[in-house]
Each structure stands twice: as C-alpha cells, then as structure tokens.
Amino acid sequence: MKYKSTRGNVKNLSFIDAFMMGLADDGGLIVPESIPIVDKDRLAKMSSMSFVELTVEIMSIRKQTMSVLVATSGDTGSAAIHGLANKKGVNVFVLYPQGRVSPVQELQMVTVQDANVHPITITNSSFDDCQTLVKQIFSDLPFKSKYNLAAVNSINWARILVQIVYYFYSYFLVQKKQQTTNKEVVFSVPTGNFGDVLAGFYAKKMGLPIRNLIVSTNQNDILDKFFKTGRYDKSCGDVIPTVAPSMDIKIASNFERYLYYVCQEDASKLRQLMEDFNRDGVLSISPDILANQVHSLDGFLSSSVGHQEILDTIKTYYQTFNYLVDPHTAIGIAGSKSHGLKNLNKFTDNPLICLSTAHPAKFGDTVKLATNVDIENQYQATKQLLEKKQSKLNVNTANCNIEEIKQFISNKRV
Ligand SMILES: Cc1ncc(COP(=O)(O)O)c(C=O)c1O
C-alpha cells in the first residue's frame, strides 16, 4: 500500500513514511494511493474473526524512534500517553487547551509520571489553537527532521486505519445478532475532527454495506451545515464550550481527506478549494455534487445536537435501558433521531449503530446533572486518579508562543 498527499506534490510514500510525516510536506493530508476493495469471499471470511484478528487483517504497524507530538481535545492525548509511556526511543508531547478538557481527562494525562511523557497545557486556547500550533511546528521541516517528529492524532493515517475496524466489527456483530447477512446498516458517529466518521466512509468505499453515515456534531456545527448546504464556512464565531468538550472543534482537520474524494481525487481541484477556504474562510460545493455524491452515493446525513438534548438523551437512555452513556455518545444517539431513527431497539430495516466514543465516568459532572448518578465517585479508576502525583508544563500562548514549545521539545530529547 502506497500513500500520497491530498495536495498532489508528495507521492509514493510507504506506510512508515506516511506515519512519520503526519502532515504531508506540501501542507496536505496523507491518503492511500488507492482504497482496496474487500470482496464478498473475504468479507465472509472476516465475519468470523475476533476484533484482534480483524485488526491484524486490516492493518499492520511498525515501530521507530521518534518525538511524538499530539494536539488533543481530551482523549487522543491520554491514549497516546498511555500507549507510549516508558517506551524506549519515544518522547510524547501532548498539547491540550486548559479548562477545555474534563477534569478526569486531564488527570489521565498529568498523572503519568514516566520521564518520556510531557503534557503541555495551553492557556487561553481552544483545541483548534493547539492543532494550529502542532501544524506550525510540523511545517518547520528542519525542526521536524532534526527531532524526528511524528503525529499521533486524528490526522495521522494510522488512526483512521484502526478506526475502520470498528465499522467492520460492529457490522458483523449486528448481522450475527439479527441473524442476517449483507443487510445495510446506518452508523451515527459523534464527530469533531471528522476522523472517526471518515473511517466509516473508507469502510463504505471498501465495500462494507453501509447505507448512511450520520455526522452528529454538538453546537460547533460547521460540519452539520456543510452536509446540509454544501457550504463550509468558518465565519460562524468562536468555538463554543459544550458538555461534549472533545468535540469542541471548529475546523475539522480530517475534512480535507473527504473533500479530496468529493473532488474525484483531483488534487488540483482540492488545492483550489483549500485556497478558497484559506483566503475567504469559506468553501462550497455545487448543489448537484451535494445531492448526488455526498448524500446519495456516499450516504452522508448530519445533525447538530444542543445542550438540553444531550442531557435529555443521557437521562432517557439511563431510565429506559439502565445504561449510562457519556455526552459524546449521547450526541450520536440524539443525532440519529432527527433522521426518523427513533427507537434504537426496534429499528430493524436498516440496523442503526451509534458509535460510543467515551466512558461516562470521564464526564461525571454532566452524567450526574442528567441522571443524578455519581459515576465519577463510584468508579474506582477515576477515584484513584485524584490521589496520584500530577505534573505538566503550562504555556501561556495568548500570543501562540511556539518557540517556547519548540525549546521544550529540544530539551527533552531521549
Ligand atoms: C470522546 C470523543 N468523542 C468523539 C470524538 C470525535 O471524533 P473525531 O474527532 O474523529 O470526529 C472525539 C475526538 O477525539 C472524542 O474524544
């Protein structure tokens, strides 16, 4: 499998090169040269595999020495830290917006005391600011090469690749549960950076029978507006802090990858769209492409879910099914309702699968507000976090002090 940049000037990359590069050297994002199609025989073989076997089937990852740089809205950073803590030859630097991740998410990062782990909290910032800082650091090519920078976040192709597995796995589970084969399903996906739902798009293109992919956002609804109108417009104001903070994102970093396919994999058309967006803060596609490709062919639908609807969904779901969902998952569930998919248990024509993206104990305050259940204190793992030693670097980047971060990275080389 070879990889290329959406902007057309970087081609023929190996997986390892794509992984190390993170952001492509020409400023684009990395996509596969071609998407492999899974034929029916292979699909049948895959249907009886365990999650781990499916993962091995769909991907392969190799190790290297690197400085891993991550911008996180809460979860990716802690996943990267826990995956890389105490690993030889790897330093991990995680940038996150102060006060814009939940207290438990922050504790999961700052209580890991291994010497190669470096959480960096950026004051007066949103996730978008952290992501911009990471992109700026990556665009300094000599620095990137000198410190062997790699990205582990939702723009890294490796993450998308692994997320494709969720769709195959849950698809097979539902077919087994409903004793059906090849029945088309609908996925509703809580969306911020357009990574997880993009993985669903790749799964659909690979041949998995997916009828629709519902892009479910919180009040930061730039993507919802795009999928409804064909207009992607960043002039909609600042990022709104919500009770689903991991999706408090304005500019979805992976969206360029989907636009590339909207442009029929024509890098010059994509470049034009991105130039429009960078110059005017808005890009748009024609009503014809929106209807025939985005909606019909690719099956995208979308929803934006407000504060009260999130709380109501957590409460209703708990009362009806005795099942606690976190606010992001609630957005996936609520997002499907506006498309008439009202009863999760009885939706049998095209089974509906909502991706559950976080444990409710990470967002205890909101879960308590909705249900009165004190999950954060009932759950040992979150209680124990409070007792651990904490450390992090505070960077005040009201003026985006990128040099301070670069200095920190260069001082902490393993
Ligand atoms: C809990 C949670 N839900 C949903 C999302 C949104 O996923 P994506 O950014 O891939 O759209 C994230 C992103 O990190 C997340 O942490």
Side-chain angles (χ1 to χ4, degrees):
M1 168 80 80
K2 293 286 182 191
Y3 295 85
K4 60 185 174 181
S5 162
T6 50
R7 304 274 173 101
N9 293 327
V10 176
K11 292 180 185 141
N12 208 24
L13 294 174
S14 66
F15 174 82
I16 210 77
D17 286 337
F19 184 76
M20 290 295 289
M21 201 172 269
L23 185 68
D25 286 352
D26 65 350
L29 292 176
I30 294 166
V31 290
E33 295 267 27
S34 63
I35 302 172
I37 303 287
V38 181
D39 62 31
K40 284 206 173 112
D41 288 348
R42 193 150 187 206
L43 209 58
K45 207 177 115 206
M46 289 161 87
S47 70
S48 56
M49 289 182 180
S50 69
F51 186 86
V52 173
E53 287 166 340
L54 253 187
T55 306
V56 174
E57 178 81 4
I58 293 174
M59 63 164 295
S60 61
I61 297 180
R62 291 195 240 154
K63 291 182 184 170
Q64 72 258 347
T65 302
M66 59 188 146
S67 296
V68 174
L69 192 53
V70 186
T72 186
S73 57
D75 284 329
T76 309
S78 120
I81 285 174
H82 286 267
L84 297 172
N86 204 21
K87 294 272 183 300
K88 281 209 176 88
V90 184
N91 259 323
V92 54
F93 302 89
V94 178
L95 276 60
Y96 65 95
Q98 190 181 51
R100 297 261 190 118
V101 301
S102 83
V104 172
Q105 285 178 313
E106 181 169 31
L107 284 172
Q108 284 183 314
M109 296 188 276
V110 302
T111 55
V112 179
Q113 296 299 317
D114 298 275
N116 70 331
V117 169
H118 313 289
I120 305 174
T121 179
I122 312 289
T123 51
N124 304 313
S125 76
S126 66
F127 167 76
D128 290 66
D129 299 323
C130 296
Q131 182 75 347
T132 302
L133 284 169
V134 167
K135 282 190 174 178
Q136 284 170 350
I137 295 171
F138 265 87
S139 67
D140 180 343
L141 298 184
F143 186 85
K144 179 181 173 185
S145 156
K146 184 169 178 193
Y147 294 105
N148 208 6
L149 291 190
V152 171
N153 58 24
S154 73
I155 60 165
N156 194 298
W157 172 249
R159 173 166 164 172
I160 310 290
L161 185 58
V162 179
Q163 286 177 316
I164 293 173
V165 184
Y166 304 158
Y167 292 85
F168 279 79
Y169 187 74
S170 53
Y171 172 82
F172 293 136
L173 273 186
V174 166
Q175 302 294 317
K176 269 175 217 147
K177 198 172 166 199
Q178 300 207 336
Q179 297 183 334
T180 56
T181 43
N182 298 330
K183 188 178 250 185
E184 283 193 317
V185 297
V186 176
F187 280 96
S188 181
V189 189
T191 305
N193 242 333
F194 205 75
D196 215 351
V197 74
L198 180 81
F201 166 74
Y202 278 109
K204 182 169 164 56
K205 273 189 103 64
M206 288 166 79
L208 196 69
I210 297 174
R211 193 180 79 172
N212 291 112
L213 288 158
I214 304 172
V215 176
S216 297
T217 73
N218 60 22
Q219 285 161 281
N220 297 290
D221 60 356
I222 177 170
L223 283 168
D224 175 46
K225 286 190 174 129
F226 170 82
F227 284 101
K228 292 206 163 84
T229 65
R231 206 176 139 83
Y232 190 65
D233 185 349
K234 73 172 173 192
S235 68
C236 50
D238 289 338
V239 180
I240 303 166
T242 74
V243 290
S246 300
M247 288 159 42
D248 289 349
I249 294 165
K250 192 162 159 185
I251 306 301
S253 327
N254 280 292
F255 189 53
E256 177 171 337
R257 281 195 171 101
Y258 176 57
L259 285 176
Y260 178 66
Y261 296 101
V262 172
C263 294
Q264 311 293 329
E265 302 186 42
D266 180 336
S268 61
K269 278 193 191 153
L270 187 268
R271 259 203 308 274
Q272 186 61 54
L273 273 185
M274 295 316 295
E275 274 166 28
D276 291 351
F277 188 65
N278 290 337
R279 189 186 56 245
D280 307 330
V282 59
L283 64 82
S284 52
I285 58 171
S286 71
D288 178 46
I289 293 177
L290 181 68
N292 294 322
Q293 184 175 346
V294 177
H295 291 163
S296 288
L297 195 65
D298 298 340
F300 276 110
L301 299 169
S302 70
S303 293
S304 161
V305 178
H307 179 74
Q308 195 53 47
E309 212 180 341
I310 297 174
L311 296 184
D312 291 348
T313 304
I314 298 174
K315 183 176 173 186
T316 309
Y317 217 73
Y318 181 60
Q319 287 177 343
T320 314
F321 302 111
N322 193 28
Y323 190 95
L324 278 178
V325 295
D326 93 290
H328 304 77
T329 305
I331 288 173
I333 296 169
S336 63
K337 284 194 190 155
S338 55
H339 298 285
L341 311 178
K342 287 203 167 46
N343 188 331
L344 293 181
N345 261 2
K346 292 192 180 145
F347 192 78
T348 49
D349 272 357
N350 290 100
L352 168 67
I353 303 171
C354 291
L355 266 60
S356 177
T357 51
H359 193 286
K362 281 188 182 177
F363 303 95
D365 292 352
T366 305
V367 169
K368 189 166 181 197
L369 191 64
T371 61
N372 244 339
V373 176
D374 191 356
I375 174 88
E376 204 172 303
N377 272 309
Q378 285 171 13
Y379 196 62
Q380 276 304 318
T382 44
K383 265 173 74 177
Q384 283 165 0
L385 279 176
L386 286 167
E387 286 146 28
K388 292 188 174 172
K389 193 176 160 214
Q390 304 178 23
S391 56
K392 63 186 172 194
L393 173 79
N394 280 290
V395 176
N396 189 335
T397 42
N399 303 318
C400 281
N401 190 354
I402 197 166
E403 291 311 321
E404 190 180 345
I405 299 170
K406 281 187 183 171
Q407 189 63 50
F408 186 69
I409 292 173
S410 46
N411 288 344
K412 295 282 180 187
R413 284 189 80 189
V414 276

